[in-house]
Amino acid sequence: YTIPALGGTPRKLIDTRSVTLGIDWSPDGEALVFAERPAPDAPFHIVRLDLATRDTTAITQPPPAAMGDLTPRWSPDGSTIAFSRRAQVGGHDLHLIAADGSDPRTITQGELSIRGLDWSADGQRLVYASYQGGTFGLWQVDVESGDVAWLPTRAERIYNPSVAVQTGDLVYEELTYEK
C-alpha cells in the first residue's frame, strides 16, 4: 500500500506471495524493491515493482540452497541495488546488482549476521549492522575496493542503520533490555 505522507486513503499496490523482508523506494519514486518468496519452499529474491504499470520483475536469483536475498536498498543515484544474501546455514554477505538485474557482485565474504544496511549519502559505501566481535555494531564497506571499517559507537546491539541522503547523518536502532 501507499498513503500520502500527511494522511489520506491507502492505495493498494499489489498482493505479494509471501511476507516481505525489506522494502525501499527508488530515488525517483517510480519503483519499489522488496524481498519476497515466489513459493513457500523457495529462497527470497529481490523484486522490482514499477509503480506506473504495477509490473514486477525478479532482480536476483539466489541459489536454491540459500535462505535468500533480503533488505534491498537502492543507491542514491538509482543505478544499483544493495542487498544481503543469507545462506540456509551460516551468515549473510552483502551483494550489489545493477537496477536492471545485470552485473551481480559480492562485496563482503563471511559476515556472521547482518541486521540492516543503507548507502552512504555519496553512494561510495554501504553502512551495515553486523555481529562481529561479540556484539552487533556498525560497519562500512567501500563498494569499489571492498575495504571494511568499523564505525565506533557507544552502543551495542545496533540494528537497521539509515543514512539521510541530503545531510549524510546516520541513525540506527539500539536494542536494550530491562531486567
Side-chain angles (χ1 to χ4, degrees):
Y1 288 84
T2 60
I3 189 168
L6 298 177
T9 304
R11 180 175 68 110
K12 186 175 189 173
L13 297 175
I14 62 167
D15 287 317
T16 61
R17 291 173 234 155
S18 71
V19 64
T20 59
L21 296 177
I23 189 166
D24 196 32
W25 288 99
S26 63
D28 63 10
E30 295 180 4
L32 297 171
V33 286
F34 57 92
E36 170 188 64
R37 275 193 164 137
D41 59 343
F44 283 88
H45 61 266
I46 306 301
V47 175
R48 181 184 189 276
L49 169 65
D50 182 299
L51 294 173
T53 65
R54 309 253 177 104
D55 290 337
T56 58
T57 305
I59 299 294
T60 66
Q61 298 298 325
M67 180 183 172
D69 300 337
L70 312 168
T71 57
R73 295 291 177 262
W74 230 299
S75 64
D77 68 3
S79 67
T80 307
I81 297 167
F83 60 94
S84 66
R85 176 168 286 164
R86 182 172 177 201
Q88 198 64 268
V89 176
H92 298 79
D93 281 308
L94 294 176
H95 295 257
L96 299 178
I97 195 163
D100 66 3
S102 66
D103 194 28
R105 61 188 175 116
T106 303
I107 298 299
T108 63
Q109 294 285 329
E111 298 297 331
L112 296 175
S113 185
I114 294 174
R115 296 286 191 257
L117 62 116
D118 202 3
W119 289 87
S120 62
D122 63 7
Q124 302 296 310
R125 294 171 307 285
L126 289 172
V127 176
Y128 60 102
S130 180
Y131 186 82
Q132 298 178 35
T135 188
F136 275 94
L138 288 179
W139 301 82
Q140 66 180 350
V141 60
D142 183 289
V143 296
E144 291 303 319
S145 70
D147 292 339
V148 175
W150 175 60
L151 294 174
T153 67
R154 294 180 184 219
E156 295 183 1
R157 295 179 299 273
I158 295 173
Y159 302 127
N160 300 317
S162 181
V163 178
V165 175
Q166 297 296 332
T167 65
D169 291 341
L170 172 70
V171 64
Y172 55 85
E173 298 174 22
E174 179 184 15
L175 184 63
T176 59
Y177 298 98
E178 291 186 25
K179 293 181 182 183

